[in-house]
Amino acid sequence: MFLGMFRTTFFLVSICCCSFYWCHGCLEEERTLLLQIKDSINYPGGSSLGEYWVGKNCCQWYGVDCNPSSFRVISIDLYDVREEGLGLWYPNTSLFAPFKELKELDLGGNHIGGWVMPQAFSGMRSLRKLYLFSNNLSASIDSLRGICELTTLRVLYLDENRLNDHSIPKCFGNLSLLEELSLSGNELKGNLPAFPEMQSLRMLDISSNNLSLGIDSLRGLCGLRNIRNLDLSYTNLDERAFLRLCLSNLSKLETLSLLDNDLGSYSIALTGICELTALRVLDLSWNKINDHSIPKCWGNLSSLEKLDLWDNKLKSPFNSLTANNSYVGSIPQCFGNMNSLRRLSLSYNQFTGTIPSSIFQNLTNLMVISTSHNQFNDSISFSTFANLSKLIHIDLSDNARLEVETEHPHWVPTFQLQSLFLSNCILNKGGGSGIPTFISIQQSLETLDLSHNFLKGTIPSWLLNNLTVGSLILGGNLLKGPFPQSTQRNNSMLQELDVSDNFIYGELPSNINTLFPNLIVFNMSKNELQGTIPVSISKLQKLGMLDLSQNNLFGEMPHGLISRNNTSLKFLRLSNNKLQGNILPKFPNMTKLVVLLLDNNGFTGAIASNMLSSPSLKILDLSKNNLSGFIPSWLPLLTNLAILHLDGNFFNGPIPSEVCQMQNLHILDLSNNKISGSIPSCLPNISSWMKEISINVDIFHPRVTTILTTKGMTLTYEGLPLSLMTIIDLSMNQLTGNIPSQMGDLKALHSLNLSNNILSGPIPESFQNLESIESLDLSHNKIVGTIPPQMVQLYKLSIFNVSFNNLSGAIPYEKQFSTFKESSYTANPHLCGPPLQRSCSCNNSSQPRDNKGEEEEEDDSTILDSPLFFFTCGWLLHIFWDFGVSLPFSPTSTGDGSSLVQWTGALIAAI
Ligand SMILES: *[C@@H]1O[C@H](CO)[C@@H](O)[C@H](O)[C@H]1NC(C)=O
Ligand SMILES: *[C@@H]1O[C@H](CO)[C@@H](O)[C@H](O)[C@H]1NC(C)=O
Ligand SMILES: *[C@@H]1O[C@H](CO)[C@@H](O)[C@H](O)[C@H]1NC(C)=O
Ligand SMILES: *[C@@H]1O[C@H](CO)[C@@H](O)[C@H](O)[C@H]1NC(C)=O
Ligand SMILES: *[C@@H]1O[C@H](CO)[C@@H](O)[C@H](O)[C@H]1NC(C)=O
Ligand SMILES: *[C@@H]1O[C@H](CO)[C@@H](O)[C@H](O)[C@H]1NC(C)=O
Ligand SMILES: *[C@@H]1O[C@H](CO)[C@@H](O)[C@H](O)[C@H]1NC(C)=O
Ligand SMILES: *[C@@H]1O[C@H](CO)[C@@H](O)[C@H](O)[C@H]1NC(C)=O
């Protein structure tokens, strides 16, 4: 990519800029040197620069920069040019030394293990910046000794070189002009080198080393009295080691990064930070800090602009103030005095109680307030923020018991926000749960998230029409009324509009394409919309995601939506409406479509051969419509299809053997149709059912689309663990013949439902190999023979049903099978042994008739209760919307088998 980027720039440069000095070219002697360097890189093989380092003017070569007046080379970028597999590279230093004006040299990523003629470094009197990250400089101690000669060096990057405590030679102290040194990502352990000579050092990065061994590991830093920026993140640092860092010497420190260490247990370690009176940025995220470890004296950090305490164990430091507790810091005062603070981020902690209003009084420089993902449970009024005129970002989201009041007492904002996140709190409970009115005078607002509150009332039309908002999220509220009528303005910036899960009724505006020409994400699912889908929706050129499911929409789907003119669509869900007509247009062009969900409507007709030219399609759900005709044999053209639901229609004819060519199928649901013929024996050709392979369903997560819109066009995708969901459901059809014994090879299959067909012959013995199977339903067929006893080892099996068949012999009642009840076996007159009452002694044929009736009854109710019922009812699974992704297939799981349901629920939730 680096080269690719270069190439573009390069051509631009050479086409448009051949004027003035560029055409003079470089000095011939430097050009010759560069060619020698090129030849030495992969010596004796050719270099990857062969393509780029050609022509007379070496100042135009990739990675080469020249001084515009002297035409001498000032910078050489040789990042990642050495071919892998050639072993270590020992560049000949004397090839670089003659460049009299060379200031900057990048040799990163080249497997450099040392140097030929390191003494030549002493000739490089101009070099200021040397980048050597991602090499193998730990290979020999001499490799770094040569660098000591570079006494003019200002910037040195030695990241990721596997350097250890002994790799860094004493003579490094000679680099007395060094300002920036990075040793990040090495193997430094006990003792950091001490270089009191480095008095120019401003920036030192030691992050991502493991300093947990050396109590004295930070001692070496005590002499760095001029240091401004110190990064000790990800170093396994504990308090003892941190205490040895003589912070009082480092009084000029402005930025201290201590992410992901172990500094949280005692306040004594963090007390040292109080000496850093010049500190502007302090990052202590991921340190297990609790209320008691925050020292009082932090209040003196009057220069602090940014304090990050992400993901610690803070609970209620604010409350502890009022508790007047001698050992607990008075946090409110302390924060309140930091009047340079620009960013207060307390997200992802366990704060409870109140956000104290008083602390904000003096924080007039605050730009960012973020307290999301805590457990604040009191109330806060926005009037608190009224005078913080620099605020641009407020995020109080996910404090489910925090009451946020924006209307009372009366206040006038002095700020103009860019983003406001108030998702999942309790908004304006006292004032009628209305949309905050101050928003109407926010003229720079780009992102507004008010989802999952209890907002009532209608959507004010100014919210859609006169704001600059690009992303508007109102989902999961109690908003009523028609879709707001537009005012005249039609230059709306809206890219994402999510009003899902409310009570919006009436029709969508017929001119939606002119109202919101920039829409990328449009989610109106779970409302009470009526009427037809406006044709104009298909003219939204940028639309990527459309969800109008669970409304009362009727009429035909506008065919332009997935035809030639609209190729941007990736996700289309129109499920659970009353749509009719042919399911797909004649000339679809859905090259980008990944998810198509049209289930639970009244679509009719057959699926014709030219209907789906959607190579990207991964999920197709046409279930519960009135479709008819054959199951199409061209399905394998959808090479990426992972989930196929055609259940609940009137499809007839056989299952085409072409289905076996689908290599990524994880769910095949053809249940509840009129399909006849036998089960194709080639099903195990589908590799996703043979071994678990995972597929990324790369569609964006609607919840992530905020990023999508706020960051311009960078799409964010989310992968799904489809590898754990392999399901075949052919139940409720008219299938005949034997169950193919090859099906025993479906090693990754989790659920197989063949119930309610006319299948005959035995249960294949090979079923003992279905090692992943969790649910197996063969009930209501004409299956004969015994239950293969080896099947008792299928220890993941938690739902097993062979009732209403013609099986005979003893039930294998051990291991996993000892968990199945009578109802699994009902109505097989010749089965015997536990759990049935019927014993296996010779004369067992006369069971009392009424007893059997009872069993039947019990059986029916079991079917209704079991998750299998939900499978056959397909997307009823929506009710499991909120299940998280939990580990479903526990070996000990017995009984209810809810885990599969959770998986599918998680899948849908993730969509
Ligand atoms: C260089 O070091 C990397 C790891 O840092 C190692 O994987 C690689 O094998 C080394 N290369 C050589 C040529 O020794
Ligand atoms: C290094 O390069 C110099 C200058 O081209 C040359 O004289 C010398 O022989 C080279 N050394 C080695 C070991 O290749
Ligand atoms: C570099 O350091 C070494 C030992 O630390 C010293 O002997 C030598 O004189 C120094 N060189 C220069 C150029 O300062
Ligand atoms: C850091 O070093 C300690 C002590 O050698 C060791 O126990 C620990 O596993 C190391 N941590 C990491 C992340 O390598
Ligand atoms: C705000 O600053 C004033 C004057 O410096 C001070 O008296 C007051 O206590 C401060 N308020 C808070 C809440 O820190
Ligand atoms: C939006 O409309 C409201 C009501 O008409 C008006 O008071 C407000 O100033 C407008 N805001 C913007 C940003 O245009
Ligand atoms: C699609 O584009 C064609 C021309 O390329 C145009 O004639 C037709 O009206 C467009 N259809 C829709 C639904 O926009
Ligand atoms: C579908 O759209 C793509 C991209 O716009 C275009 O290249 C292709 O020719 C179209 N195919 C059909 C059948 O219209």
Side-chain angles (χ1 to χ4, degrees), residues 7-300:
R7 225 180 275 183
T8 331
T9 341
F10 171 70
F11 284 128
L12 285 178
V13 168
S14 52
I15 292 164
C16 15
C17 307
C18 188
S19 62
F20 196 46
Y21 48 80
W22 287 111
C23 293
H24 290 271
C26 56
L27 301 186
E28 188 54 32
E29 77 236 34
E30 298 202 333
R31 182 172 170 275
T32 311
L33 276 171
L34 286 170
L35 288 174
Q36 281 176 17
I37 292 172
K38 180 177 98 174
D39 289 340
S40 75
I41 293 170
N42 291 333
Y43 185 84
S47 151
S48 62
L49 293 170
E51 264 182 78
Y52 305 104
W53 282 19
V54 289
K56 271 213 133 5
N57 186 355
C58 69
C59 294
Q60 287 185 347
W61 290 357
Y62 159 56
V64 180
D65 272 330
C66 297
N67 178 334
S69 38
S70 69
F71 311 120
R72 286 194 175 274
V73 171
I74 53 171
S75 154
I76 304 176
D77 178 353
L78 288 171
Y79 178 77
D80 194 16
V81 292
R82 168 82 164 176
E83 212 164 87
E84 256 187 284
L86 289 180
L88 295 179
W89 183 28
Y90 294 86
N92 182 344
T93 317
S94 31
L95 294 177
F96 294 93
F99 293 96
K100 288 205 169 58
E101 293 187 28
L102 188 63
K103 288 196 173 64
E104 194 169 335
L105 178 59
D106 186 346
L107 290 170
N110 281 320
H111 308 278
I112 295 175
W115 318 96
V116 170
M117 306 183 71
Q119 65 276 21
F121 270 127
S122 61
M124 302 174 74
R125 287 283 153 226
S126 303
L127 201 65
R128 298 284 183 277
K129 301 183 180 178
L130 180 58
Y131 301 100
L132 291 170
F133 37 79
S134 304
N135 279 299
N136 293 53
L137 293 172
S138 60
S140 83
I141 178 117
D142 290 333
S143 62
L144 290 185
R145 216 163 257 159
I147 293 173
C148 299
E149 305 287 339
L150 296 168
T151 48
T152 55
L153 214 55
R154 305 290 200 280
V155 174
L156 178 58
Y157 278 74
L158 293 169
D159 316 38
E160 292 168 35
N161 269 291
R162 297 192 163 192
L163 302 175
N164 57 45
D165 295 348
H166 307 293
S167 312
I168 300 175
K170 282 256 178 298
C171 65
F172 251 48
N174 291 8
L175 303 174
S176 58
L177 299 178
L178 207 60
E179 293 169 5
E180 273 180 49
L181 174 60
S182 178
L183 296 166
S184 172
N186 280 297
E187 293 172 4
L188 301 176
K189 285 202 177 74
N191 293 293
L192 292 182
F195 297 114
E197 305 92 336
M198 289 190 185
Q199 285 306 311
S200 300
L201 204 63
R202 297 283 187 279
M203 195 284 297
L204 179 60
D205 184 352
I206 315 174
S207 61
S208 303
N209 283 286
N210 186 351
L211 304 180
S212 63
L213 270 190
I215 279 200
D216 271 334
S217 52
L218 298 184
R219 267 283 162 86
L221 307 183
C222 290
L224 302 174
R225 288 174 180 272
N226 289 310
I227 192 124
R228 305 285 153 86
N229 184 341
L230 179 59
D231 192 342
L232 293 169
S233 303
Y234 309 104
T235 50
N236 274 328
L237 214 55
D238 64 16
E239 289 114 358
R240 290 171 312 152
F242 189 66
L243 276 169
R244 307 282 168 118
L245 176 61
C246 12
L247 285 168
S248 55
N249 288 4
L250 312 184
S251 58
K252 295 190 178 153
L253 209 57
E254 293 175 1
T255 300
L256 179 57
S257 304
L258 293 163
L259 272 85
D260 198 4
N261 283 301
D262 196 3
L263 301 176
S265 314
Y266 309 102
S267 70
I268 183 142
L270 298 180
T271 305
I273 291 177
C274 301
E275 316 237 13
L276 303 173
T277 49
L279 204 61
R280 293 192 296 118
V281 178
L282 175 60
D283 195 337
L284 277 163
S285 305
W286 295 294
N287 264 292
K288 308 192 190 97
I289 293 173
N290 60 47
D291 298 350
H292 303 270
S293 40
I294 292 195
K296 264 185 193 172
C297 63
W298 275 18
N300 302 339

Side-chain angles (χ1 to χ4, degrees), residues 319-529:
N319 282 349
S320 21
L321 159 85
T322 42
N324 204 6
N325 217 321
S326 57
Y327 63 89
V328 174
S330 42
I331 297 300
Q333 273 159 20
C334 154
F335 281 150
N337 289 342
M338 296 175 181
N339 48 23
S340 301
L341 203 65
R342 283 199 272 181
R343 193 185 137 149
L344 179 64
S345 167
L346 302 170
S347 300
Y348 293 92
N349 275 291
Q350 296 155 26
F351 286 111
T352 57
T354 317
I355 302 177
S357 308
S358 60
I359 68 163
F360 293 104
Q361 261 169 32
N362 290 352
L363 301 182
T364 49
N365 283 312
L366 220 48
M367 299 169 74
V368 172
I369 296 176
S370 173
T371 65
S372 65
H373 294 92
N374 280 291
Q375 287 143 33
F376 288 116
N377 55 14
D378 205 318
S379 60
I380 184 160
S381 164
F382 258 62
S383 59
T384 304
F385 308 136
N387 294 330
L388 306 180
S389 61
K390 296 189 178 159
L391 270 182
I392 53 171
H393 172 97
I394 299 181
D395 185 356
L396 309 180
S397 298
D398 291 297
N399 286 286
R401 286 181 297 153
L402 177 68
E403 291 182 19
V404 179
E405 177 59 58
T406 63
E407 308 303 303
H408 306 289
H410 182 72
W411 64 291
V412 180
T414 57
F415 50 76
Q416 288 291 338
L417 294 180
Q418 287 170 14
S419 45
L420 175 60
F421 295 89
L422 294 173
S423 171
N424 194 18
C425 344
I426 306 172
L427 196 50
N428 290 332
K429 189 182 174 193
S433 298
I435 289 178
T437 49
F438 82 91
I439 293 172
S440 74
I441 51 170
Q442 294 296 307
Q443 268 138 20
S444 311
L445 201 60
E446 285 166 15
T447 306
L448 177 59
D449 186 349
L450 302 175
S451 59
H452 302 284
N453 276 287
F454 297 91
L455 291 177
K456 291 185 191 150
T458 56
I459 301 176
S461 77
W462 55 259
L463 195 53
L464 290 185
N465 294 308
N466 75 347
L467 284 181
T468 50
V469 173
S471 183
L472 176 58
I473 306 174
L474 299 170
N477 282 297
L478 307 172
L479 298 168
K480 265 209 174 80
F483 196 88
Q485 285 307 302
S486 146
T487 55
Q488 310 72 27
R489 276 181 67 173
N490 61 1
N491 53 347
S492 155
M493 310 288 274
L494 262 187
Q495 291 184 305
E496 175 180 30
L497 179 57
D498 182 349
V499 195
S500 61
D501 204 1
N502 278 288
F503 298 93
I504 308 298
Y505 52 77
E507 299 192 14
L508 288 172
S510 62
N511 57 340
I512 198 150
N513 62 321
T514 51
L515 289 179
F516 309 116
N518 294 309
L519 268 190
I520 298 175
V521 174
F522 187 33
N523 189 349
M524 290 293 303
S525 63
K526 290 204 206 167
N527 278 290
E528 294 170 355
L529 294 175

